């Protein structure tokens, strides 16, 4: 396939497939290395099902056990077989939808590993697992050799996206319990440990709007700031649910309350935000004051979503990126609650960044 060169922002070039056309949006920097790794597109469920069903059968026959023990063996070995299949699939699966040839630079060109043990394991073309990288980076064991965006956009050249022991431990000890239970106390501890670590910490990368649920580019030919595309997002949400002056509006999982303040100020709604974060409640209350909205028109409440009073009903309800705090098992119950809290002609806006089917 014919190749052409693409400048990556650091003065070097990467070979790019000739059938790939870089975007030229002024607001979005073009990725220096638009490569994609293996993912769900390259995972073959047939291999997983064959392993889960076949390996226990082989074990049962090899040990000359009665076949009625086969279901028991299959149940006992299912989780280890799943973990092993996922690990080897993530380690050896081919790249998907290749748009470029990787430069195949040594890992030292992108990052400096200061931990001797890690450095002995990952050097040259021996890629470091992404989970290992970011945990070590947070522990100040790794430095980035240049611009963070450029290095992370080039991640497929130096990082491996394979499952690690830490991820399996997280799956067993945190993900499964949280998915199964999602008690009020569990959610409260999780949210407050996460979001009450300091508003200054979040403002460093969220900017003054303190929202991270996405941004909207209003004009692809015009350069817009982070704040502008976030304001565009807020306006879009309010317009989609057709907010009108005086309507009762509820924002479930309101974060730092910016949508609540924005809706009340610009659309004249009576808005209520719900969060478990103590810091977020204080911040959102102050934000409402900063926006010049009276406390009788907008407020932030520290409350579990399950404790929201069902009456009086709301004209409009929004919920942006709060689904992970509901959990799969309780999600239908959550949606029924939302329907019960809505007026008969009410509208509900739900945004979820989740896994594809």
């Amino acid at each position: 396939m014919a190749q052409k060169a693409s400048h990556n922002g650091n003065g070097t070039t990467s070979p790019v497939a000739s059938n790939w056309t870089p975007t030229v949006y002024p607001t979005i920097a073009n990725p220096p290395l638009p490569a994609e790794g293996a993912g769900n597109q390259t995972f073959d469920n047939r291999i997983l099902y064959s392993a889960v069903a076949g390996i226990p059968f082989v074990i049962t026959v090899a040990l000359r056990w009665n076949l009625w023990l086969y279901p028991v063996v299959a149940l006992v070995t299912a989780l280890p077989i799943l973990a092993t299949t996922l690990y080897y699939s993530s380690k050896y699966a081919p790249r998907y939808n290749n748009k470029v040839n990787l430069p195949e630079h040594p890992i030292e060109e992108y990052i400096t590993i200061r931990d001797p043990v890690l450095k002995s394991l990952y050097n040259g073309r021996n890629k470091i697992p992404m989970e290992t990288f970011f945990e070590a980076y947070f522990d100040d064991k790794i430095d980035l050799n240049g611009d963070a965006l450029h290095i992370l956009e080039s991640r497929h050249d130096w990082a491996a996206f394979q499952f690690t022991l830490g991820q399996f431990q997280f799956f067993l000890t945190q993900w499964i319990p949280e998915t199964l239970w999602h008690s009020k106390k569990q959610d409260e501890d999780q949210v407050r440990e996460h979001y009450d670590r300091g508003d200054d910490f979040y403002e460093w990368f969220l900017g003054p709007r303190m929202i991270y649920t996405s941004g909207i580019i209003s004009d692809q030919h015009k350069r817009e700031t982070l704040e502008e595309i976030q304001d565009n997002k807020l306006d879009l949400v309010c317009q989609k649910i057709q907010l009108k002056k005086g309507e009762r509006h509820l924002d479930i999982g309101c974060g730092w309350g910016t949508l609540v303040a924005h809706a009340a100020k610009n659309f004249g709604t009576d808005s209520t935000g719900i969060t478990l974060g103590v810091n977020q409640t204080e911040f959102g209350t102050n934000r409402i004051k900063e926006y010049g909205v009276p406390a009788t028109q907008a407020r932030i409440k520290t409350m579990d979503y399950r404790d929201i009073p069902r009456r009086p009903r709301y004209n409009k309800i929004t919920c942006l990126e709060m689904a992970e705090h509901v959990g799969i098992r309780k999600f239908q119950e959550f949606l029924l609650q939302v329907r019960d809290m809505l007026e008969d002609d009410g509208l509900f806006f739900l945004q979820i960044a989740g896994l594809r089917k």
Side-chain angles (χ1 to χ4, degrees):
M1 181 181 292
Q3 303 286 326
K4 60 183 178 181
S6 172
H7 290 275
N8 59 26
N10 262 18
T12 59
T13 59
S14 302
V16 180
S18 59
N19 62 347
W20 178 74
T21 303
T23 58
V24 291
Y25 301 139
T27 302
I28 303 176
N30 206 54
L33 190 66
E36 293 185 51
N40 65 322
Q41 300 94 339
T42 55
F43 184 78
D44 194 334
N45 281 318
R46 293 172 297 181
I47 296 176
L48 173 62
Y49 298 149
S50 299
V52 170
I55 293 176
F57 181 78
V58 172
I59 293 174
T60 304
V61 172
L63 296 177
R64 297 182 179 179
W65 290 343
N66 290 327
L67 286 179
W68 64 265
L69 279 174
Y70 168 72
V72 178
V73 178
L75 183 64
V76 172
T77 58
L79 196 58
I81 292 173
L82 171 64
T84 303
T85 305
L86 288 174
Y87 172 77
Y88 281 105
S89 294
S90 65
K91 186 176 178 67
Y92 296 109
R95 286 175 55 211
Y96 171 77
N97 194 20
N98 300 325
K99 295 180 179 179
V100 299
N101 294 326
L102 296 176
E104 297 190 356
H105 295 313
I107 192 173
E108 291 82 4
E109 184 162 325
Y110 298 100
I111 63 175
T112 297
I113 302 177
R114 293 190 282 107
D115 181 83
V117 176
L118 281 178
K119 191 171 184 178
S120 66
L121 294 173
Y122 307 110
N123 53 73
R125 289 300 299 155
N126 189 16
K127 299 180 179 181
I128 183 171
M130 180 55 79
E131 195 258 356
T132 304
F133 160 74
F134 65 69
E135 291 291 352
Y137 178 78
F138 292 147
D139 290 336
D140 203 26
K141 297 178 181 179
I142 290 179
D143 290 329
L144 303 180
N145 299 339
D147 178 70
L149 178 61
H150 165 71
I151 293 170
L152 291 175
E153 288 281 13
S154 304
R155 59 195 177 278
H156 292 290
D157 201 38
W158 56 268
F161 292 83
Q162 64 193 56
F163 282 92
T164 64
L165 180 60
Q167 288 170 313
F168 286 120
Q169 289 175 335
F170 169 81
F171 178 76
L172 291 172
T173 62
Q174 290 184 249
W175 192 87
I176 290 180
E178 290 173 2
T179 300
L180 293 178
W181 285 284
H182 263 289
S183 67
K184 292 182 181 179
K185 184 65 170 63
Q186 182 189 56
D187 286 349
E188 179 183 301
D189 292 342
Q190 184 186 56
V191 169
R192 290 180 181 173
E193 178 185 352
H194 188 79
Y195 292 112
D196 284 346
R197 64 180 58 195
D199 294 335
D200 55 344
F201 168 79
Y202 284 96
E203 193 168 6
W204 287 335
F205 60 92
L206 296 183
R209 297 297 186 271
M210 294 292 276
I211 52 177
Y212 58 71
T213 57
S214 70
I216 300 293
I217 297 173
S218 65
D219 185 348
Q220 65 182 12
H221 303 296
K222 181 180 71 173
R223 178 168 176 79
E224 295 178 294
T225 65
L226 172 65
E227 293 73 36
E228 288 174 321
I229 65 174
Q230 288 175 330
D231 287 342
N232 294 340
K233 165 63 182 294
L234 297 175
D235 284 335
L236 181 67
V237 171
C238 295
Q239 291 162 7
K240 277 185 174 290
I241 57 173
Q242 304 168 30
L243 279 183
K244 299 179 180 64
K245 185 176 182 179
E247 287 188 327
R248 284 173 48 78
H249 163 229
L250 173 67
D251 187 28
I252 306 175
C254 67
W256 287 269
T258 305
L259 176 58
V260 170
H262 183 90
K265 176 183 178 180
N266 297 288
F267 292 82
T269 55
D270 184 301
S271 293
T272 300
I274 300 297
T275 178
L276 282 171
V278 176
N279 285 11
Q280 290 183 329
T281 300
E282 181 180 358
F283 186 99
T285 301
N286 291 330
R287 169 135 294 176
I288 290 170
K289 293 178 183 177
E290 292 171 6
Y291 277 39
V293 178
T296 55
Q297 186 185 340
R299 76 286 307 163
I300 308 296
K301 295 183 178 181
T302 308
M303 181 185 298
D304 189 282
Y305 74 89
R306 286 159 283 200
D307 295 329
I308 301 173
R310 306 294 181 94
R311 299 295 182 274
R313 288 190 170 110
Y314 294 89
N315 304 104
K316 308 293 168 59
I317 297 179
T318 51
C319 180
L320 280 61
E321 303 300 343
M322 200 277 289
E324 70 272 21
H325 298 299
V326 175
I328 297 172
R329 187 171 67 88
K330 295 181 180 291
F331 202 70
Q332 180 70 14
E333 183 181 324
F334 166 71
L335 293 178
L336 290 172
Q337 176 188 343
V338 170
R339 185 177 68 177
D340 185 46
M341 293 189 298
L342 267 178
E343 295 284 4
D344 291 342
D345 60 348
L347 291 175
F348 176 42
F349 184 100
L350 175 65
Q351 177 177 316
I352 302 174
L355 297 174
R356 296 185 181 93
K357 184 178 179 181

